Amino acid sequence: MRGLAALAIVASVAGCARTVTPVACPAGMGAPTIIFTLYFGQSIPGSHDVTEAQWRHFLDTTVTPNLPNGYTVWDAHGAWMNPMTRKTIQEATKVLAVALPVSQASLASVNRVREAYQVQFHQQLVGMTTEQACGTF
């Protein structure tokens, strides 16, 4: 029951208004897992882009302590419309994916990372999507 409640919270944070039933994982396919995908825009308003050194420092001091069991990061290029100005900007982006157990603690860890990046690099938002899976690590 706790897992279902946590999954409902994860779904609501991701913008879903419905309650989600955890996936049933077949034997040998692992446990129910949430895959969080985070989108870190690299443009700092009124300044330069986040440098590789700044990104590495953020990974070392914030991401790794909050997601110590591992994650994957790749470079991307994206576009985002600022809801305040209604202007779309294109920018370099870092995408981070992490598979975590279905729990409130998992969501809290991911949100600490998102909030820290928003504050440190003056971002309105770090985008997030979620999906259910079965996983074993």
Side-chain angles (χ1 to χ4, degrees):
M1 185 59 115
R2 220 172 76 194
L4 180 58
L7 187 56
I9 290 168
V10 169
S12 68
V13 169
C16 301
R18 61 186 172 88
T19 301
V20 177
T21 304
V23 297
C25 297
M29 299 295 289
T33 302
I34 297 288
I35 300 171
F36 294 89
T37 305
L38 306 179
Y39 304 88
F40 298 90
Q42 300 291 284
S43 296
I44 300 174
S47 187
H48 57 82
D49 285 358
V50 175
T51 66
E52 281 301 314
Q54 289 172 311
W55 175 251
R56 170 60 45 209
H57 184 261
F58 181 75
L59 288 176
D60 292 344
T61 62
T62 303
V63 177
T64 300
N66 281 288
L67 305 172
N69 292 330
Y71 50 85
T72 301
V73 175
W74 63 92
D75 292 320
H77 189 81
W80 177 74
M81 185 192 323
N82 182 326
M84 308 291 280
T85 64
R86 306 291 297 164
K87 292 184 180 184
T88 300
I89 64 163
Q90 293 189 15
E91 64 183 317
T93 303
K94 297 287 188 181
V95 180
L96 181 147
V98 61
L100 297 171
V102 178
S103 73
Q104 290 178 323
S106 294
L107 177 60
S109 293
V110 168
N111 279 335
R112 281 192 299 273
V113 170
R114 293 175 72 210
E115 291 163 9
Y117 190 85
Q118 287 169 200
V119 169
Q120 186 171 343
F121 297 108
H122 312 287
Q123 302 291 301
Q124 282 187 308
L125 179 70
V126 170
M128 178 177 79
T129 58
T130 62
E131 59 186 294
Q132 297 183 69
C134 296
T136 182
F137 296 92

